[in-house]
Amino acid sequence: MEAEFYARAPGLCEEIGTSLETKVVGQFEPPAFDETLVGRVRGAAEHLGYSHRDIVSGAGHDACWINDIAPTAMIFCPCKDGLSHNEAEEITMDWAAAGTDVLLHAVLETAEVVE
């Protein structure tokens, strides 16, 4: 996405008669989370019959920093119309319950309370 932006933005700006100046701030590579924990989250979702997919988060969540010192994984719940990190973000109770259920099962497996 970044490469496409830098490739297309100058031409688009020229078309509308404006200039472009950029400054990169706060950029970092997304972390590689703990594969065991990611597997437990994935397994919990599968066991509970929830659809799921792996995604990359580069938003600077606390887990990205905790990952430097402790095994970490993240669970994302869907948002209405895919709108996230915005004041208009909205989640249904069912989606929140599903995410919580996945988290509970992954934690219980990690704590060796259940297999």
Side-chain angles (χ1 to χ4, degrees):
M1 185 169 28
E2 180 182 15
E4 185 174 345
F5 171 81
Y6 284 115
R8 295 180 61 192
L12 294 170
C13 289
E14 186 177 322
E15 284 178 26
I16 62 172
T18 189
S19 61
L20 173 67
E21 188 175 314
T22 64
K23 179 180 178 183
V24 176
V25 295
Q27 184 174 356
F28 60 91
E29 292 297 316
F33 287 122
D34 183 85
E35 281 300 317
T36 299
L37 295 182
V38 170
R40 288 181 181 151
V41 168
R42 188 182 300 117
E46 289 171 1
H47 173 76
L48 294 165
Y50 297 127
S51 63
H52 62 88
R53 65 179 168 184
D54 291 357
I55 63 172
V56 175
S57 173
H61 296 277
D62 290 347
C64 296
W65 307 111
I66 294 169
N67 190 59
D68 288 341
I69 59 170
T72 308
M74 293 178 69
I75 298 170
F76 288 94
C77 299
C79 296
K80 185 177 178 191
D81 298 326
L83 186 61
S84 177
H85 296 83
N86 184 291
E87 291 176 2
E89 180 177 345
E90 187 176 337
I91 184 172
T92 69
M93 292 294 285
D94 288 342
W95 291 338
T100 304
D101 206 10
V102 169
L103 175 61
L104 172 65
H105 282 77
V107 167
L108 290 175
E109 182 181 354
T110 300
E112 299 179 351
V113 174
V114 295
E115 293 183 15

